Structures are given as C-alpha cells and as structure tokens.
C-alpha cells in the first residue's frame, strides 16, 4: 500500500515520507492484536514497505525465504511462552542478522528468548498512560524524558531475571517516591534488537512515530555493524542516530526552555554534555534550596548541632590499600556515554562489597538525571559501612558549583567531594575548595589538561584526579593521566579517572607512580566483585583479617567454678552465667562472683587454639563489623565472662557488670538495640530469625540466633539461618538451639555455604546430664567437636 494514501490520526507528525530503500521488505508478525495495524500504519508512514503475517500462519523456513530487511513483532494477548506462535523462533533466528523490534508482547518475547522471566507486573493496565524514562539512545534518540506512553499489559519482564545480554533502555517509575520501576524497554547489548513494553503506535503516546523512525534507520544485525554504517554515512555512533552524545537533552525542568518545532532545545547542539548537566543541576539545586527542611538555613542548623557523621581523612585513606595501587570503586547506575549500566543496583549492598574487597574510596554518583543517583544513595552507603573498622572514604561525585551541595554532602556522610576545574571559574573553584576544607573535607580536584592541572596544583589540592575522558568530546585517552604526571608535586596523590576496565589498563599507571584508579562501569557489570578487583589490581599485599576464622565456643548456663574451669581448659572462648531471677540456671550473686574469679584467673591453654592470628591493624582491608567483634571475643590469654540478662532494667545490668566484672553482656529479651551503646562492654543480642535489627551494625557486637528463650534444647530452623545469610553476605552470628557434641558438626555441614556466617556456637542443655547438671566430659567433647575443622 503506498504511504501517500495513509493518513495518521495521531496528533504527532501526521505527514507521510517517501519509501525507504533500506526498509523495502519489513516483516511484521501479527500476534492476533488489532494494534498490529496501527503499528503497520506508522511504519508505512515512515517509509517502510511492510508485509504482515499471523504468528501461526507462516513457518520459520518461509520467513527466512522472504529475506526481510527488518523484523517487527506485534502486541498480542496472552503470554509470550504460550501464545506468540512463531514470534520467539523468528527473534532467535534473525537476532544478529537484521534489526528486530518487539512491541508489548513482542518485547516480552525478546525478554523470554534470552532467558528472562515474564510475570505479572503488579497491576492491569488497559489504555492507561505512564511517564516514560529512558536512556536517550537507540529508538529514544532526540526524545525528552517523562514522555506519556500508552500501556495495555498485565505482564512484564522482571529486574532480577534480566538476561546478561540485555540492558534496560526504558522504565516507568512506580511507588510513592518512584524508587522502584517497571521495565518498559530492553535492548540487546550486541545485536540490533529493541523491545518496548508500551504502544508507540497509540495516539496517546508522544513521539511514537519518532521511535519507529529511529528504528527504521538502524542497519545490520549488530551494533558494531550499525555503528560502521552510520559512521560512514552520518558520522554518528551506535544508538544515537541523528545526535551525538553531547547533544542529549535533559527534561525541561522549569517549563520555559525555548524549543524548536521538533520539541528539542534549539541551542542544544551548541552545548557540551557538561554544560547541559550544569544547567540542569543549577535549576534542580535552586528548587531544592527553596524547599522547607532543605533550605541552606536548615542544613546549617543541623550542621551546627553537630549532626554530621564523623569524618575520616580522605587524603590518608586513599594512600592505604591492600594492593599496590589504591582503588576508588564507583557506584554508577548510568552515564551519558553508556546509557543504563545497572538500574536495579542497590547502592549500600554494592558499597559493602566494594569495602570488603579492598576499596580505599567509594565514589557515589548523586546526579539523578544522567547518572540515576541521589543523595540518598550516599546516605545509605555511609550507613552500610559506618561501623566498619578501617572503612573506605566516601566521595560525593557530583557536579558541584554551590557551597550548599558541599554542606549537603557533609551531612549525608561524605568524607570528600569532587570539584571539576573545567566546570568552574577560578574564583568559584577557590571558594568551593576552601569551604570544603573548612568542613574538614579535602576535595578531589578533577582535571583533563595541562592548564587545568596547573590550576589544581596552584590551588594546593592534595589529591588530583585526571579524567581520561574529555568532557566536551567524550573521547577517552588512557594516556592522559600519565602525560600530566610530570606537572604534579610528589606529595600529591594522582588518581586516574574513567575508561579503566582491565589489568592492562592499570599496569602502566602502577609503573608511573599513579596513586589510585577510579573504576565504575566495569565494576558495576562484574558478576563477582572481589574476583574482578583482584584480577584488576593483582594479588593483595596485605592479608585480609576476615579470612582468619576459628569457631567461637560459648558454654552457657555455667553454675559452678569447676565447670567454668573445665570449659576454659577445654578451649571455650566465652563462659556464660544466667543472671535472670526465676530461671533454672540462674546463679546467686555469691556463686557468680566465684565463677567470675575463676574465669579471670584461669589462663587459656594456648595449645587448644590453632587459629592463624592476623593483626588487623597491619591490614589495609576494611573489616566487617561483626567479623571484627568475633576477633575481639578471641582473647589471647583467657576466656571471657558473659552475663546473660532478659528484660531487666538497664541500671541493674550496669550495676551487675561492674560488680561481677563481666567482659560481655548478653541481652536475651526485648531490650532496645540502643542499649548496646550505653553498656561499657561488648553486647551479644539474641534474635529469632528474621527479627528486625538482626543485621544492623553499630550496636550489638554480635547477634545470637536462638529458637526461643535459651536453654530449651529446641533446634533452630536452619532454613531461616540460610535465608539471613543470603540477605547479607557479611552477616555473622552466634548459633544456639539444640546443639550437642554429637550434632554440632552435622548442623554446620547442613548449613552449606551459610555456615560461613556462623562465627560461634552456644550450648547449654547440650552439655547437661539427664539430671540437668553440667557434665564436664560433655563440655570438653562439645568444645573439641565445635572447633574441629569441617571436612
């Protein structure tokens, strides 16, 4: 059908265009949906010659014989695994051969073909519009954010099962704060394959024809082929079509930016991406500064109350590394040059992995539009590593031009901030630099040229980052850092920023005396963070103190000095006495004093401990809070005395601690977590699996997982232990509940990998005879069994 005979009733771009030679045989698979013909109409209006085939009325062999120039898979009812006919086979065959587009069910077919799960999206949408956010690449080139798009679906691909070969290209925020999202578009990382979960052909979708027009301009089966063709014809890059990365436009946040008829800023081609981000951030920060509770006076009042978290020295910490070169590990969900990297990344989880893998600095991108970050990311990152001994320094990586942003960073927990020389005039740079210093934060000063390096050195910067990426052209030159080294005084730490992805990128920097490298995208994409870091930076020169683990053993319910002495001599680390009136194992004050004297005076038999001791003070690794306290509980000369309390007044607990010289307090009731901060010795806090506070660092030294009130002999549900371990890779706990000399090793074995979360075992009834008295032989047998290596 000639395109000139069609008239679009959509409110956007109703005129037809001439036929496209490169789209002379587009095949559209109809999944029995009336919208197929709206898709057909838009494609023909954009110059394609289209043939339509129903999904059960053509075979794959017939499709192949037709030699299509493009493949489009239509919307349709049902599930892609059961109702899409030939669609999935066609996608699988033509992937990497020709451009492929999937619409709604077609997108779900793409998701399913490459291994993702398509499930209920949480709501049923029929003719509803949602604001669309996207990565500005591929079919979204030249389009604004928050475009209204029409949705007819109840199914969607899931973030957790996003195939490695696909990336999220568009999404729709959900929830009150928009912190979660439904996947609305995917793109194959290698092949020219795009999928949209919405209906670009609907009259309620803004710029739907532009999306299809962009698709029709794609050539070849891979993005490499597409880039080559576009470079030869229009000198543009993969997925950017008619625009280079520097001309991507942000939202029109204030509603008064001058636009052309095409909907874009008429001055966009004159501005670099840095200029655009700067302009956008100025508007956003100005609006924030007018918001009650976030005004400069509000932040200043909070700072004057000394509510900012404690600082560590960025200058000192970046020089401490378990590797020969320090790592600045970055949390970055997206970038202007790469689009979406990892939209579903959890910043605090990522930060904890970085810290325990040897990062000296954690860089948190807080720019929300291009990099998909926020100041809340920084705040949560700081909370996640707050209680770690030798924690990494936290960098706010942002486009900073106002003192307000620096104070905001300080209150959120940053130890340093980024100042970009290229973005600031000298007066502003000096003002911001000295203001940051006044808050205790030595800034990271970023440069890219000799002139900018001269400015940074003259400023007195102690840490200078050389951006290997030119922020005007976005070209990456890894030699930039090495070329500028000669302009830097020896006492200044130089960091290489951008473009670093492998060991070969780092080797030259190590030889030339670069102090640190910043790595973002490659780390965010790595499937195993620790392995990637060690492959990147080489074998660590420092031992990791968390690697040295020997099972702690706590003998609880001790009621005689003789039993306490047997336990200590057997190698027990913790001797527990019950100080709760009414409990069968409760000891009198006089007996408690006698047991205390015995525990404090009985020296440990050093032959009972074969643990490899590592001096954590000599390691540059950060240490997990719980692992650190597990080491604290391993006293080199004697066992520690634990007083067990349950729902008793804090004043009573403090008095008993002083009177009995308790080394550790165990809270076995519903005591507030904050009490641990008020008790002058380490605290063990009892929890049931899944109970709030179990994983919280900074209060109790170690949690104790128990099945009930303690001493009941009831076995703990081990599946729940494994669940807690999966929730938090750094989780460490003491384990109690139904343990005995006969079963303790089997219990630990059954936990499998989750057994690594168990740093100690606690026994009471399991070392008692049939009359309920402690059996000295059982005590010794339990300690021996618990401390024996698992095989």
């Amino acid at each position: 059908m000639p395109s000139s005979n069609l008239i679009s009733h959509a409110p956007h771009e109703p005129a037809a265009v001439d036929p496209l030679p490169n789209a002379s045989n587009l095949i559209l698979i109809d999944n029995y949906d009336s919208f197929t013909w709206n898709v057909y109409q838009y494609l023909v209006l954009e110059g394609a010659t289209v043939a339509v085939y129903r999904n059960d009325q053509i075979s794959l062999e017939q499709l192949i014989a037709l030699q299509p120039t493009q493949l489009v898979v239509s919307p349709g009812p049902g599930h892609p695994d059961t109702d899409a006919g030939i669609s999935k086979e066609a996608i699988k065959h033509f992937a990497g051969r020709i451009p492929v587009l999937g619409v709604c069910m077609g997108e779900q077919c793409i998701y399913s073909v490459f291994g993702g799960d398509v499930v209920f999206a949480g709501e049923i949408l029929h003719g509803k519009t949602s604001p669309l956010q996207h990565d500005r690449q591929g079919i979204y080139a030249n389009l604004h954010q928050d475009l209204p798009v029409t949705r007819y679906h109840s199914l969607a691909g899931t973030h957790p099962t996003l195939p490695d070969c696909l990336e999220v290209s568009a999404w729709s925020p959900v929830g009150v704060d928009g912190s979660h999202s439904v996947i609305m578009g995917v793109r194959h990382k290698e092949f020219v394959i795009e999928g949209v979960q919405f209906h670009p052909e609907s009259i309620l979708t803004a710029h739907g024809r532009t999306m299809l027009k962009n698709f029709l301009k794609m050539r070849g089966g891979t993005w490499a082929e597409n880039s080559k063709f576009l470079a030869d014809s229009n000198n543009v890059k993969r997925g950017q079509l008619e625009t280079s990365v520097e001309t991507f436009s942000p939202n029109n946040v204030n509603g008064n930016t001058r636009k052309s008829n095409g909907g874009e800023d008429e001055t966009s081609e004159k501005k670099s991406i840095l200029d655009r981000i700067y302009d956008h951030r100025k508007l956003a920060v100005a609006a924030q500064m007018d918001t009650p509770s976030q005004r400069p006076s509000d932040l200043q009042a909070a700072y004057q109350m000394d509510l900012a978290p404690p600082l560590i020295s960025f200058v000192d910490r970046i020089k401490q590394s378990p590797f020969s070169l320090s790592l600045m590990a970055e949390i970055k969900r997206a970038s202007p040059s790469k689009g979406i990297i990892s939209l579903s990344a959890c910043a605090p989880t990522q930060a904890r992995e970085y810290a325990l893998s040897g990062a000296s600095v954690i860089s948190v991108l807080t720019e929300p539009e291009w990099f998909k970050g926020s100041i809340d990311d920084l705040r949560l990152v700081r909370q996640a590593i707050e209680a770690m001994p030798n924690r990494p320094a936290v960098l706010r990586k942002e486009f900073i031009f106002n003192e307000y942003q620096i104070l905001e960073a300080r209150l959120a927990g940053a130890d340093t901030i980024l100042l970009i020389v290229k973005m600031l005039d000298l007066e502003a740079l000096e003002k911001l630099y000295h203001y940051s210093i006044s808050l205790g934060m030595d800034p990271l000063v970023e440069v890219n040229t000799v002139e900018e390096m001269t400015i940074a050195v003259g400023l007195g910067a102690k840490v200078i980052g050389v951006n290997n990426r030119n922020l005007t052209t976005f070209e990456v030159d890894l030699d930039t850092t090495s070329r500028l080294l000669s302009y830097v005084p020896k006492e200044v730490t130089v960091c290489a920023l951008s473009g670093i992805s492998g060991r070969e990128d780092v080797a030259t920097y190590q030889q030339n005396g670069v102090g640190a490298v910043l790595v973002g995208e490659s780390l965010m994409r790595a499937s195993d963070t620790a392995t990637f870091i060690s492959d990147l930076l080489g074998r660590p020169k420092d031992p990791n103190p968390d690697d040295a683990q020997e099972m702690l053993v706590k003998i609880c319910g001790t009621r005689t000095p003789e039993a306490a002495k047997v336990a200590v001599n057997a190698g027990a680390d913790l001797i527990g006495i019950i100080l709760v009136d009414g409990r069968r194992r409760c000891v009198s004050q006089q007996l408690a004093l006698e047991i205390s004297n015995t525990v404090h005076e009985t020296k440990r038999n050093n032959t009972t401990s074969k643990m490899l001791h590592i001096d954590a003070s000599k390691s540059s690794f950060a240490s997990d809070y719980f692992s650190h306290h597990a080491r604290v509980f391993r006293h080199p000369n004697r066992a520690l005395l634990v007083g067990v309390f349950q729902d008793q007044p804090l004043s009573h607990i403090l008095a008993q601690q002083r009177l009995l010289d308790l080394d550790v307090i165990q809270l076995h009731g519903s005591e507030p977590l904050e009490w641990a901060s008020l008790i002058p010795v380490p605290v063990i806090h009892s929890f049931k699996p899944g109970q709030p506070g179990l994983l919280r660092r900074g209060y109790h030294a170690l949690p104790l997982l128990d099945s009930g009130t303690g001493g009941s002999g009831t076995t703990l549900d081990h599946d729940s232990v494994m669940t807690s371990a999966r929730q938090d890779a750094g989780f460490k706990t003491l384990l109690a509940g139904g343990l005995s000399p006969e079963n303790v090793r089997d219990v630990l074995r059954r936990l499998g990998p989750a057994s690594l979360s168990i740093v100690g075992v606690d026994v009471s009834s399991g070392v008692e005879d049939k009359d309920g008295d402690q059996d000295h032989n059982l005590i010794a047998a339990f300690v021996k069994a618990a401390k024996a290596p698992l095989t």
Side-chain angles (χ1 to χ4, degrees):
M1 184 182 296
S3 63
S4 58
N5 294 334
L6 286 177
I7 298 174
S8 172
H9 296 285
H12 308 290
E13 305 90 35
V17 300
D18 294 332
L20 296 173
N22 70 292
S24 60
N25 188 24
L26 186 151
I27 300 298
L28 173 58
I29 296 178
D30 175 19
N31 284 305
Y32 284 84
D33 194 284
S34 60
F35 272 114
T36 299
W37 296 101
N38 298 83
V39 176
Y40 171 89
Q41 181 186 37
Y42 269 25
L43 289 168
V44 173
L45 282 168
E46 288 301 332
T49 301
V50 183
V52 182
Y53 297 90
R54 288 212 156 154
N55 67 20
D56 58 353
Q57 295 181 8
I58 190 169
S59 68
L60 181 61
E61 291 73 19
Q62 289 171 317
L63 277 175
I64 295 170
L66 291 171
Q67 297 184 336
T69 53
Q70 293 92 359
L71 175 70
V72 177
V73 182
S74 83
H79 194 281
D81 292 345
T82 56
D83 303 291
I86 197 66
S87 299
K88 290 176 63 175
E89 287 185 66
I91 292 169
K92 190 179 299 184
H93 174 79
F94 288 109
R97 291 181 168 91
I98 60 174
V100 177
L101 173 67
V103 179
C104 209
M105 178 187 271
E107 185 263 3
Q108 296 169 9
C109 287
I110 292 169
Y111 208 89
S112 179
V113 162
F114 293 105
D117 291 342
V118 177
V119 298
F120 181 55
E123 56 182 339
I124 299 174
L125 293 160
H126 189 80
K128 302 294 185 181
T129 60
S130 297
L132 183 77
Q133 296 185 9
H134 53 81
D135 62 3
R136 297 187 180 82
Q137 300 192 54
I139 63 173
Y140 308 106
N142 292 320
L143 297 180
H144 299 301
Q145 297 292 356
D146 295 318
L147 291 172
V149 296
T150 311
R151 297 168 63 184
Y152 288 82
H153 69 104
S154 60
L155 303 176
T158 61
H159 284 287
T161 67
L162 179 70
D164 289 340
C165 63
L166 299 182
E167 60 187 1
V168 176
S169 57
W171 57 96
S172 182
V174 295
V176 176
D177 59 355
S179 58
H180 302 284
S181 63
V182 175
I183 294 174
M184 297 298 290
V186 294
R187 180 182 301 116
H188 199 283
K189 294 177 181 177
E190 180 183 359
F191 305 145
V192 182
I193 298 179
E194 296 261 11
V196 296
Q197 181 60 77
F198 55 92
H199 288 257
E201 77 284 0
S202 169
I203 63 171
L204 297 179
T205 295
H207 299 292
R209 275 188 62 183
T210 301
M211 298 177 197
L212 296 180
K213 177 182 178 180
N214 284 340
F215 169 71
L216 291 175
K217 291 184 178 180
M218 297 175 184
R219 306 291 182 89
T222 67
W223 292 115
E225 294 170 351
N226 181 65
S227 295
K228 185 177 186 303
F229 176 85
L230 294 177
D232 291 342
S233 58
N234 296 318
N235 194 28
V236 293
K237 298 178 181 179
R238 168 214 160 187
Q240 296 167 4
L241 301 176
E242 294 182 315
T243 180
S244 65
V245 70
E246 297 92 74
T247 64
F248 286 151
S249 175
N251 296 342
N252 178 12
V253 294
N254 64 349
N256 58 15
T257 302
R258 184 164 58 92
K259 300 292 177 184
S260 67
N261 292 335
E264 283 299 299
D265 184 353
E266 290 181 338
T267 64
S268 64
E269 294 184 4
K270 300 177 183 179
K271 290 188 175 182
S272 71
I273 188 64
L274 179 61
D275 292 331
R276 294 182 168 284
I277 296 174
Y278 186 17
D279 291 345
H280 180 59
R281 291 305 289 149
K282 283 192 291 186
L283 293 171
V285 172
Q288 182 178 325
M289 291 170 66
D290 284 337
T291 303
S293 81
Q294 298 184 58
R295 297 167 300 186
S297 58
D298 298 320
L299 269 58
Q300 187 61 37
Y303 183 73
Q304 289 175 348
M305 292 177 67
D306 216 5
L307 297 182
L311 283 166
I312 63 173
S313 169
F314 166 59
V315 175
D316 292 341
R317 187 63 180 90
I318 200 171
K319 296 176 182 177
Q320 301 169 17
S321 175
F323 307 100
S324 56
L325 197 66
S326 294
L327 174 65
M328 305 173 73
E330 188 157 86
I331 297 171
K332 177 166 65 175
R333 295 190 179 90
S335 74
S337 60
K338 298 295 185 179
I340 298 301
I341 297 170
S342 181
L343 192 65
S344 59
C346 175
T349 299
Q350 198 83 9
R352 194 170 283 169
E353 290 180 1
Y354 287 168
L356 296 177
S357 298
S360 300
V361 178
I362 296 176
S363 170
V364 185
L365 273 153
T366 61
E367 193 282 323
E369 178 66 23
W370 280 265
F371 295 90
K372 309 304 175 191
S374 72
I375 194 67
D376 286 333
D377 282 338
L378 190 144
R379 191 173 288 111
L380 289 171
V381 163
R382 177 56 190 269
Q383 290 177 16
I385 64 172
E386 175 69 33
M388 282 186 177
N390 200 32
R391 69 168 177 84
V394 178
L395 162 69
R396 182 184 190 182
K397 197 174 184 190
E398 173 64 277
F399 300 85
I400 290 177
F401 53 85
N402 192 301
E403 292 174 335
Y404 173 88
Q405 296 166 286
I406 300 175
L407 182 56
E408 182 186 39
R410 178 72 184 87
L411 286 167
D415 300 294
T416 183
I417 51 98
L418 176 70
L419 295 177
I420 304 173
V421 173
K422 186 177 185 63
M423 199 179 83
L424 302 164
D425 60 48
L426 185 57
E427 181 180 356
L429 178 64
E430 290 178 341
K431 179 180 179 182
L432 295 173
Y433 179 85
H434 291 295
Y435 180 69
S436 182
I437 293 290
S438 74
L439 298 184
M441 299 188 296
D442 278 286
L444 170 65
V445 180
E446 179 185 308
V447 304
N448 177 255
T449 66
V450 172
E451 293 76 16
E452 292 171 5
M453 178 63 83
T454 302
I455 292 172
V457 172
L459 193 64
K462 297 176 182 177
V463 183
I464 298 176
V466 179
N467 196 340
N468 293 315
R469 188 187 305 278
N470 185 303
L471 292 179
T472 299
T473 66
F474 259 64
E475 294 178 354
V476 174
D477 179 0
L478 292 176
D479 291 332
T480 305
T481 300
S482 299
R483 284 197 301 269
L484 296 183
L485 274 173
S486 61
Y487 297 90
V488 185
K490 290 183 178 180
E491 65 272 14
V492 175
T493 299
V494 175
C495 313
L497 317 178
S498 292
I500 299 159
S501 60
R503 176 69 181 157
E504 61 278 7
D505 299 330
V506 174
T508 301
Y509 293 147
Q510 288 176 313
Q511 295 171 2
N512 292 348
V514 172
V517 291
L518 184 142
V519 183
E521 179 193 351
S522 299
L523 264 177
M524 294 295 291
R525 296 189 190 279
S527 58
D528 185 325
T529 299
T531 299
F532 178 86
I533 289 175
S534 62
D535 289 345
L536 180 74
L537 299 177
R539 187 179 183 87
K541 57 185 175 62
D542 293 347
N544 189 335
D546 289 353
D547 290 342
Q549 296 287 347
E550 181 192 62
M551 190 65 65
L552 289 167
V553 177
K554 175 170 171 275
I555 304 298
C556 203
T558 303
R559 297 187 291 284
T560 66
E562 293 77 18
K565 190 165 188 175
V566 167
V568 174
N569 287 333
D573 304 279
L574 303 163
I575 309 299
I577 54 176
I578 307 301
L579 299 171
V580 184
D581 290 338
R583 295 283 297 276
R584 180 175 67 85
R585 299 180 179 89
C586 180
V587 295
S588 66
Q589 182 172 295
Q590 180 58 41
L591 195 53
L593 284 169
E594 293 177 15
I595 295 172
S596 176
N597 289 335
T598 298
V599 172
H600 285 91
E601 292 173 2
T602 303
K603 298 301 180 183
R604 182 193 296 274
N605 181 354
N606 289 330
T607 61
T608 64
S609 177
K610 298 180 175 61
M611 188 187 87
L612 172 65
H613 290 280
I614 294 176
D615 187 349
S617 66
K618 295 181 180 179
S619 175
S620 298
F621 275 100
S623 181
D624 182 78
Y625 175 82
F626 291 144
S627 295
H628 165 75
H629 280 93
R631 291 193 299 273
V632 170
F633 284 165
R634 295 183 179 97
H635 195 284
N637 300 319
R638 64 176 180 84
L640 302 181
L641 181 65
V642 183
V644 181
F645 299 87
Q646 185 176 41
D647 295 326
Q648 292 154 280
L650 177 61
S651 57
H652 172 74
I653 296 172
L654 295 175
Q656 290 292 99
Q657 187 277 322
R658 289 191 296 269
L659 176 67
L660 301 176
D661 196 14
L662 300 174
D663 300 302
V664 181
I665 296 294
Q666 180 173 318
L667 301 177
H668 215 87
S670 57
E671 298 87 354
L673 294 187
E674 292 94 327
W675 277 17
S677 302
L678 304 174
I679 295 173
V681 294
V683 170
I684 296 170
H685 205 301
S686 174
F687 293 91
K688 295 179 181 178
Q691 186 176 343
L694 171 66
L695 307 178
R696 184 66 186 265
R697 273 78 163 174
Y699 294 99
H700 44 278
L702 276 176
L704 168 69
L705 277 176
D706 201 352
S707 56
T709 57
S712 64
T714 304
T715 303
L716 189 67
D717 176 16
H718 297 134
D719 287 341
S720 59
V721 179
M722 290 186 276
T723 298
S724 297
R726 284 193 296 268
Q727 286 178 336
D728 185 337
F731 171 62
K732 304 295 181 186
T733 186
L734 300 172
L735 182 67
L739 299 178
S740 69
E742 293 78 21
N743 72 7
V744 62
R745 291 170 60 78
D746 289 337
V747 167
L748 293 173
R749 283 197 193 96
R750 285 200 300 271
L751 288 174
S755 65
L756 296 175
S757 297
I758 310 301
V759 294
V761 288
D762 185 332
V763 66
S764 183
S765 60
V767 293
E768 292 176 346
D769 59 25
K770 61 182 180 180
D771 296 322
D773 296 324
Q774 285 184 302
D775 185 306
H776 294 184
N777 291 327
L778 290 177
I779 290 174
F782 183 85
V783 175
K784 181 179 180 180
K787 286 188 174 287
L790 289 177
T791 55

